[in-house]
Amino acid sequence: MNAAAESISISPETRAFLDRKHRLFIGGNWVDALSGETFPVIDPATEEQIATVQLGGPEDIDAAVAAANKAFKGEWSKMTSYQRTRVMLKLADLIDQNIQTLAELEVLDNGLPMMLAQYTIAGYASEFLRYYAGWCTKIQGDTIPVSPMGLPNGETLTYTKREPIGVVGAIIPWNAPIAMFVLKLAPALATGCTMVIKPAELTPLTALFMCELIKQAGIPDGVVNVVPGLGHVAGAALSAHDDVQKVSFTGSTAVGKKIVQSALGNLKKVTLELGGKSPVVVFPDADVQAVIGGAIRAAFFLQGQNCMAGTRLFVHKDIYQQVIDGVAGIASQMKLGPGLDPASQLGPLISAQQRERVLGYIQSAKDEGAELICGGSAPDRKGFFVEPTLFTHPTQELTIAREEVFGPVLYATSFGDTDLESIAAEANKSIYGLSGSVWTKDIAVGLKMAQLIDSGQVSVNCHAAVDPAIPFGGNKMSGWGREFGKEGLEPYLKTKATTVIFSNPPM
Ligand code: NAD
């Protein structure tokens, strides 16, 4: 780490974790990758290497899937739902007890500001486990009144059981590593599944730290296996594996399509949480100050590397200029810096490649005639920073209005006095349908617009309300299925129907 980053101190626990050898976690043991290959982990705020991690390949995925299969049939399958609840609650407590180390690792690995890292851990990851820990004891089937083979009522019984689907492969992105890890882990543990998790190659550290906590929580060996590796190698091997019964994927739409193809071999079940290009629709009666703060958070949370980001801002003409001036005023004053610095409001992007990609989108908007209101450049400093950027243009005929930028770039436009259907048609002009928000004091307008917006989740007077109990997932090319809440258990379960006949059927 360089001098600037060292001057912002990290705890001895974090330092000790960074300095140790980072291996694969298979069958409850730390093991080297069979190839012996490694890859570097880079702090995006300093561009310095902070750790070296063993690079898992297809043969390591095989070993991890075998360990998960063994665990699925072993001690884990005998544990009662109360015992599963207890180990999950213990893991949640361990996360809270280790929040400083987890947050520092997340900041160094991903770049997000410390306050947000702490929020995603204490306000989200551990609560997510507690929420699903409560479900362990409530997963149950039905009894169904049936009369097979002409038997009279009362002569048969049919009941269904909800069973764990088996070994789950979880493939996660780099934009919110610990949150993604836990949101795949919690429903899998609650339902009695076992897992192989492949973290993103850019951000493997908190996933590896979590393995220590999983062991301490008393989760049996092999229930959770973690294999860091490259997407097109380890990720592809996991999604194609015949002994994996379900893949839970979060990442880009392009890779999501590949996952679907890989799953064809054994027709494993697939859930996909993919990209977004979410609208923020503001009516003239909205609270302008709330809109300005909300639009900033919607667009620039996690430096805009956020699938739910509200990156298309539609504002009624009567308050358009006020909102644009307010957003630009705050965005142009935001302090960019390493997440470990408490003064930083916006961290770096994840990598040099991501910064170049985002700068390419900014250039495309300039070339296509959009008006640059603020930002638009990468500051001349170490780290993969890009200024929070606002463009306006009268129509959505811009690449940045169509494609997911995954960086701090907001596009804004205005609308006049027109019907809600026409406004919704503009808001829905996207291949994506993940999130969206409506801002108004008129509850009827808010709810009607929420109904018209074609996305898996819409918020009124806030953007992207997230809670473990709120179902989350995308319409259109934003994905398949839902995570979170009761619905989030479904993909991890299969139903078995059993029928008992009390007497011989009349022949
Ligand atoms: P990505 O698709 O490049 O990678 C995601 C994961 O897939 C990584 O672990 C990667 O190693 C792996 N992967 C890559 N190629 C693979 C392959 N051929 N087979 C199997 N696995 C492969 O996405 P990213 O750049 O890490 O993340 C950004 C994307 O994720 C954005 O599009 C964003 O919208 C999306 N995302 C969606 C949600 C959501 O909940 N909907 C949440 C966060 C991020």
Side-chain angles (χ1 to χ4, degrees):
M1 213 182 286
N2 71 8
E6 282 289 12
S7 69
I8 307 167
S9 65
I10 54 174
S11 67
E13 290 80 12
T14 305
R15 164 57 54 213
F17 183 80
L18 286 174
D19 288 346
R20 72 183 224 181
K21 188 172 180 186
H22 300 288
R23 306 161 87 190
L24 320 179
F25 187 69
I26 298 180
N29 300 309
W30 291 108
V31 298
D32 285 340
L34 288 167
S35 70
E37 287 182 63
T38 60
F39 67 102
V41 180
I42 307 294
D43 174 355
T46 62
E47 305 182 30
E48 302 286 329
Q49 182 170 343
I50 51 170
T52 303
V53 176
Q54 293 278 314
L55 184 70
E59 60 283 11
D60 303 299
I61 292 288
D62 277 346
V65 172
N69 240 320
K70 189 167 165 226
F72 184 68
K73 296 170 191 132
E75 183 191 347
W76 183 237
S77 67
K78 311 282 181 301
M79 279 173 68
T80 66
S81 45
Y82 294 102
Q83 287 172 312
R84 289 208 308 280
T85 297
R86 276 202 292 275
V87 291
M88 290 179 71
L89 292 176
K90 180 141 189 224
L91 182 58
D93 289 346
L94 285 166
I95 289 175
D96 287 346
Q97 286 157 23
N98 287 275
I99 186 166
Q100 187 63 18
T101 307
L102 277 166
E104 287 174 355
L105 290 174
E106 190 85 330
V107 168
L108 290 168
D109 210 356
N110 165 279
L112 81 171
M114 187 66 178
M115 202 181 67
L116 287 182
Q118 285 174 331
Y119 169 72
T120 54
I121 296 164
Y124 180 85
S126 52
E127 299 296 37
F128 208 88
L129 272 161
R130 291 189 183 101
Y131 171 82
Y132 275 107
W135 272 111
C136 298
T137 49
K138 295 161 195 77
I139 296 167
Q140 59 192 41
D142 293 311
T143 56
I144 306 173
V146 290
S147 305
M149 291 164 276
L151 279 164
N153 188 28
E155 290 300 318
T156 72
L157 171 69
T158 293
Y159 65 90
T160 59
K161 279 180 73 182
R162 308 305 315 280
E163 298 175 338
I165 198 161
V167 176
V168 173
I171 301 176
I172 55 184
W174 44 259
N175 67 326
I178 183 139
M180 295 293 157
F181 184 94
V182 173
L183 81 82
K184 308 285 185 207
L185 177 73
L189 295 180
T191 49
C193 293
T194 59
M195 310 190 80
V196 177
I197 304 179
K198 196 207 79 64
E201 46 271 54
L202 290 167
T203 54
L205 294 181
T206 44
L208 294 172
F209 190 85
M210 281 295 294
C211 297
E212 296 288 355
L213 305 186
I214 283 166
K215 232 175 151 49
Q216 283 176 41
I219 294 170
D221 291 347
V223 171
V224 183
N225 305 274
V226 175
V227 181
L230 300 176
H232 66 284
V233 183
L238 183 58
S239 56
H241 206 291
D242 280 346
D243 292 331
V244 170
Q245 301 307 323
K246 171 200 159 48
V247 167
S248 175
F249 173 76
T250 300
S252 60
T253 297
V255 174
K257 289 182 182 178
K258 290 185 187 169
I259 301 283
V260 171
Q261 280 173 342
S262 305
L264 291 177
N266 68 341
L267 290 178
K268 60 176 66 68
K269 310 295 174 277
V270 175
T271 42
L272 303 171
E273 297 290 354
L274 308 176
K277 193 76 216 172
S278 298
V280 175
V281 181
V282 184
F283 287 92
D285 64 336
D287 176 335
V288 172
Q289 288 316 310
V291 167
I292 292 167
I296 292 271
R297 283 190 297 278
F300 304 137
F301 178 72
L302 298 178
Q303 294 73 248
Q305 301 169 133
N306 168 17
C307 55
M308 292 176 281
T311 48
R312 293 182 298 137
L313 178 60
F314 301 90
V315 189
H316 188 275
K317 62 179 174 35
D318 289 357
I319 56 167
Y320 177 72
Q321 202 53 50
Q322 247 181 303
V323 171
I324 295 303
D325 291 348
V327 169
I330 294 177
S332 55
Q333 296 301 313
M334 283 178 98
K335 188 170 180 325
L336 275 60
L340 289 177
D341 180 347
S344 300
Q345 293 172 296
L346 213 65
L349 301 189
I350 191 67
S351 63
Q353 190 190 7
Q354 186 68 5
R355 180 181 53 190
E356 290 319 303
R357 187 171 171 269
V358 171
L359 290 174
Y361 275 115
I362 289 174
Q363 189 57 47
S364 78
K366 291 176 181 168
D367 295 344
E368 289 164 7
E371 185 181 352
L372 178 64
I373 306 297
C374 69
S377 310
D380 184 18
R381 59 179 292 172
K382 270 267 185 223
F384 309 126
F385 295 92
V386 172
E387 294 166 348
T389 298
L390 172 62
F391 281 106
T392 60
H393 194 262
T395 74
Q396 294 197 75
E397 305 307 313
L398 294 174
T399 307
I400 60 159
R402 273 194 315 276
E403 296 183 14
E404 186 183 41
V405 176
F406 229 53
V409 179
L410 173 61
Y411 155 76
T413 194
S414 64
F415 61 87
D417 295 320
T418 180
D419 55 290
L420 297 186
E421 282 74 10
S422 307
I423 300 165
E426 281 300 306
N428 290 336
K429 218 183 249 180
S430 171
I431 59 167
Y432 297 111
L434 189 58
S435 188
S437 57
V438 186
W439 299 74
T440 175
K441 293 196 184 93
D442 184 333
I443 193 66
V445 169
L447 294 182
K448 182 82 193 291
M449 264 315 278
Q451 200 168 289
L452 290 169
I453 290 178
D454 186 1
S455 62
Q457 195 206 43
V458 184
S459 311
V460 179
N461 292 329
C462 67
H463 188 85
V466 175
D467 185 280
I470 301 177
F472 178 76
N475 296 352
K476 300 191 270 185
M477 289 179 79
S478 290
W480 280 357
R482 294 291 180 267
E483 293 186 307
F484 297 53
K486 187 180 176 191
E487 271 190 76
L489 291 165
E490 289 301 320
Y492 294 84
L493 292 167
K494 56 189 177 187
T495 299
K496 174 172 284 170
T498 303
T499 297
V500 190
I501 291 174
F502 301 156
S503 56
N504 288 333
M507 287 303 261

